[in-house]
Amino acid sequence: MEANTRSTGRLPAAFLTPGSSSFMDFLSEHQPEMLPGKRQLPPTQGVIEAPHGTTIVAVTFPGGVVLAGDRRATMGNVIAQRDIEKVFPADEYSAVGIAGTAGLAVEMVKLFQLELEHFEKVEGAQLSLEGKANRLSTMIRSNLGMAMQGLAVVPLFAGFDVDRDRGRIFSYDVTGGRSEEHHYAATGSGSVFARGAMKKLFRNDLSEEEATTLVVQALYDAADDDSATGGPDVARRIYPIVTVITEDGFRRLTDEESSEIARSILARRLEQPDGPRAALL
Amino acid sequence: MSTPFYVSPQQAMADRAEYARKGIARGRSLVVIQYADGIVFVGENPSRALHKFSEIYDRIGFAAAGKYNEYENLRIGGVRYADLRGYTYDRDDVTARGLANVYAQTLGTIFSSAGEKPYEVELVVAEVGATPDGDQIYRLPHDGSIVDEHGSVAVGGNAEQISSYLDQRHQEGMSLAEALKLAVQALSRDTNGTEREIPAERLEVAVLDRTRPQSRKFKRIVGRQLGRLLEIDGAATEAESSDEE
């Protein structure tokens, strides 16, 4: 079977059989061993050590949603990578940020992007945002076996719902359980601290600029209290990845833009290390 | 049981080719033309939903004339082939040449196997390069041969006449509006030489635009943008014609 996709022979029957618009369904029939969830796992003792991505945050604002992530990957107490990318466009109107086992998560994102693109090409129409969120659930569920061995992948999915004309956020647990989050959400080891920061800073009428600043503030607070989350690295010029999804589609802030936000926050934190204060009453 | 008549292989193949050609000729023709910023697909298609052109992969587009269910099947096969290949290796490893070869093999096997009826389709697989020199256009007739085309190509019933019309008038570095107009002029000429009007609503137009910032270069041109392009004078400037969204 495999040879057929590598040589330039005739398309195998499976390619020309009318069927599902899902690439994953096609793969599971044609080449199931290519799917991450169908892999045979060797018996292992204890927890497998692999780089972990840490904190992802998202916040909605009128007209869209912002999804951002820090750049650190850790393996135990070691920093495995300082400039990892953990936020990816899923398609034109959605993005996914991943915390958990980095290698598996990146692979899952790649398959998820392909799944959405494949559907779009075959059907000539995009999936609904809800449909995309559900598809991601299925993929996490198929990783449950590995999650049980400590190789969990916990994404945060954000997108602009063109039918409802607003940004939406979906969070997941390791079993694929999905829940829609209102206003803001965070996942990963630094998420508790990031969530606390966002809880105090969030308002219903944020502008796009304020929302992008808010997520960087939250990531700073996460890095402040969680050793696995990386703060803005001024010396190496490594700044958080910030993405914005609006009616106009997905946009990733350039390095200059995110460095500007990070630097202005850093400057203020030199004066006030705990960051902006919310009113007591 | 009666004894079957002897039919020479030449005769059998000629009959099958005749059958396929007649089927293809029932549908309307379509054209694929290179312009300065990419490749444009133009065809007459009263349906909004049943497309003749579509995206296969980042830089690869697909056009087909003939029987809808047959080319739709090939199209989906192509999308599956491209997506699987890109997933297995890398997005850059999916090429129009590879896809055209697979289609040629598929069409060729179907055409020469006595058990199957030949497909009544003619395909074009096009890939837009980083520069016009990198553009590739392959025409795939019903029998599984491949023709490497340059500049412009027409497929469908009236293809020969349209092709020669295009060959005489196509120039390198045309703007999108110029290429689109040329395509519409070519398509509106009937077999007997008379011209008829094709209204914009009956046109299906798509481009592979190398200037798009996204990695997926395929884009449909519809509604107001199409109207605007058709209105622009033939001598329009580049800036006007490469109007985005």
Side-chain angles (χ1 to χ4, degrees):
Chain A
M1 275 298 216
E2 211 157 292
N4 282 324
T5 58
R6 291 182 189 169
S7 72
T8 47
R10 178 187 177 167
L11 284 174
F15 283 65
L16 298 175
T17 311
S20 155
S21 309
S22 160
F23 183 71
M24 274 160 30
D25 289 358
F26 167 68
L27 261 194
S28 71
E29 272 165 40
H30 180 60
Q31 260 176 260
E33 74 283 359
M34 296 278 290
L35 282 174
K38 296 271 169 66
R39 243 170 248 149
Q40 290 291 321
L41 293 176
T44 47
Q45 296 270 310
V47 171
I48 304 165
E49 280 263 301
H52 267 62
T54 44
T55 311
I56 305 291
V57 294
V59 61
T60 58
F61 64 93
V65 58
V66 174
L67 185 69
D70 74 313
R71 305 292 293 268
R72 183 171 289 180
T74 54
M75 201 157 70
N77 65 327
V78 171
I79 296 174
Q81 199 182 339
R82 295 176 195 280
D83 61 349
I84 190 174
E85 299 198 1
K86 296 182 277 185
V87 180
F88 304 92
D91 65 358
E92 195 108 20
Y93 289 104
S94 62
V96 54
I98 38 113
T101 315
L104 293 176
V106 170
E107 186 183 19
M108 189 181 285
V109 168
K110 192 173 145 195
L111 189 56
F112 182 57
Q113 289 168 327
L114 191 54
E115 176 78 3
L116 301 186
E117 184 188 323
H118 188 81
F119 183 95
E120 192 187 324
K121 288 191 287 197
V122 170
E123 298 270 315
Q126 286 217 342
L127 272 170
S128 66
L129 192 67
E130 202 92 25
K132 294 174 199 172
N134 286 339
R135 215 55 207 148
L136 192 52
S137 262
T138 316
M139 296 182 63
I140 299 165
R141 214 160 276 145
S142 74
N143 189 52
L144 192 59
M146 282 193 257
M148 304 285 273
Q149 300 197 0
L151 301 176
V153 177
V154 194
L156 201 57
F157 178 64
F160 186 80
D161 192 328
V162 278
D163 301 320
R164 288 169 210 208
D165 204 28
R166 64 183 170 89
R168 297 170 75 187
I169 304 169
F170 296 90
S171 69
Y172 296 85
D173 61 34
V174 280
T175 64
R178 141 218 129 171
S179 52
E180 183 167 3
E181 303 275 353
H182 298 285
H183 309 319
Y184 55 85
T187 183
S189 64
S191 62
V192 269
F193 310 109
R195 201 176 295 124
M198 289 193 286
K199 188 192 248 175
K200 296 296 176 214
L201 296 176
F202 181 81
R203 292 196 316 273
N204 276 318
D205 58 348
L206 293 170
S207 69
E208 182 182 317
E209 263 176 305
E210 289 171 324
T212 51
T213 309
L214 191 154
V215 289
V216 180
Q217 290 276 20
L219 285 173
Y220 187 100
D221 282 326
D224 207 18
D225 286 314
D226 172 37
S227 61
T229 305
D233 190 340
V234 188
R236 295 189 183 80
R237 300 200 179 85
I238 300 168
Y239 302 100
I241 291 179
V242 182
T243 65
V244 183
I245 308 147
T246 61
E247 202 178 16
D248 299 328
F250 172 92
R251 187 173 82 90
R252 178 177 155 174
L253 262 56
T254 59
D255 281 351
E256 288 76 52
E257 287 173 303
S258 58
S259 85
E260 198 174 311
I261 298 172
R263 280 167 181 278
S264 84
I265 288 173
L266 274 174
R268 282 158 205 273
R269 295 266 172 154
L270 288 176
E271 311 277 318
Q272 212 177 7
D274 294 341
R277 300 272 158 87
L280 191 58
L281 271 176
Chain B
M1 239 175 101
S2 59
T3 328
F5 285 109
Y6 171 75
V7 182
S8 73
Q10 288 94 330
Q11 188 57 46
M13 286 304 170
D15 286 350
R16 293 171 74 85
E18 166 93 2
Y19 169 83
R21 265 200 297 270
K22 274 194 174 157
I24 297 164
R26 272 194 289 273
R28 297 242 177 246
S29 307
L30 55 91
V31 301
V32 179
I33 303 184
Q34 265 183 290
Y35 69 100
D37 291 331
I39 297 169
V40 60
F41 302 81
V42 189
E44 188 180 352
N45 186 359
S47 168
R48 295 279 105 192
L50 308 175
H51 296 300
K52 287 174 182 289
F53 313 130
S54 57
E55 172 188 9
I56 296 280
Y57 211 62
D58 293 355
R59 297 178 155 271
I60 305 173
F62 170 96
K67 208 158 179 260
Y68 180 79
N69 69 322
E70 291 177 350
Y71 69 67
E72 175 67 5
N73 214 2
L74 288 168
R75 180 183 77 89
I76 291 175
V79 170
R80 286 172 176 166
Y81 163 85
D83 280 347
L84 180 56
R85 202 174 160 87
Y87 179 65
T88 313
Y89 303 109
D90 185 75
R91 292 193 83 91
D92 285 347
D93 296 316
V94 184
T95 60
R97 197 185 54 84
L99 183 67
N101 272 325
V102 170
Y103 277 146
Q105 294 294 340
T106 307
L107 285 169
T109 322
I110 293 169
F111 182 74
S112 44
S113 87
E116 275 177 281
K117 84 163 196 60
Y119 270 20
E120 301 159 61
V121 295
E122 190 164 11
L123 313 180
V124 176
V125 172
E127 177 175 339
V128 70
T131 61
D133 290 341
D135 290 351
Q136 295 169 41
I137 303 177
Y138 299 98
R139 181 165 65 87
L140 296 138
H142 54 84
D143 60 357
S145 44
I146 300 189
V147 193
D148 184 2
E149 302 274 1
H150 295 280
S152 63
V153 54
V155 293
N158 205 5
E160 264 175 48
Q161 199 194 343
I162 297 176
S163 283
S164 65
Y165 183 88
L166 287 175
D167 284 345
Q168 284 162 24
R169 288 164 184 80
H170 178 264
Q171 285 156 5
E172 268 179 45
M174 292 173 108
S175 74
L176 177 56
E178 286 165 348
L180 180 57
K181 284 230 181 84
L182 174 63
V184 175
Q185 277 161 17
L187 289 172
S188 16
R189 301 170 70 81
D190 276 335
T191 350
N192 51 18
T194 53
E195 275 200 51
R196 60 198 176 84
E197 181 93 358
I198 307 177
E201 308 82 68
R202 288 178 66 91
L203 281 178
E204 181 181 348
V205 180
V207 290
L208 284 167
D209 180 353
R210 72 177 114 254
T211 63
R212 261 168 88 80
Q214 296 95 319
S215 59
R216 293 166 71 184
K217 308 293 181 194
F218 184 88
K219 182 171 161 256
R220 293 189 188 283
I221 296 188
V222 288
R224 257 185 308 174
Q225 197 192 2
L226 177 58
R228 250 197 337 262
L229 282 169
L230 289 168
E231 272 162 32
I232 295 174
D233 191 49
T237 60
E238 288 282 296
E240 274 178 289
S241 59
S242 58
D243 215 358
E244 261 299 300
E245 257 88 5

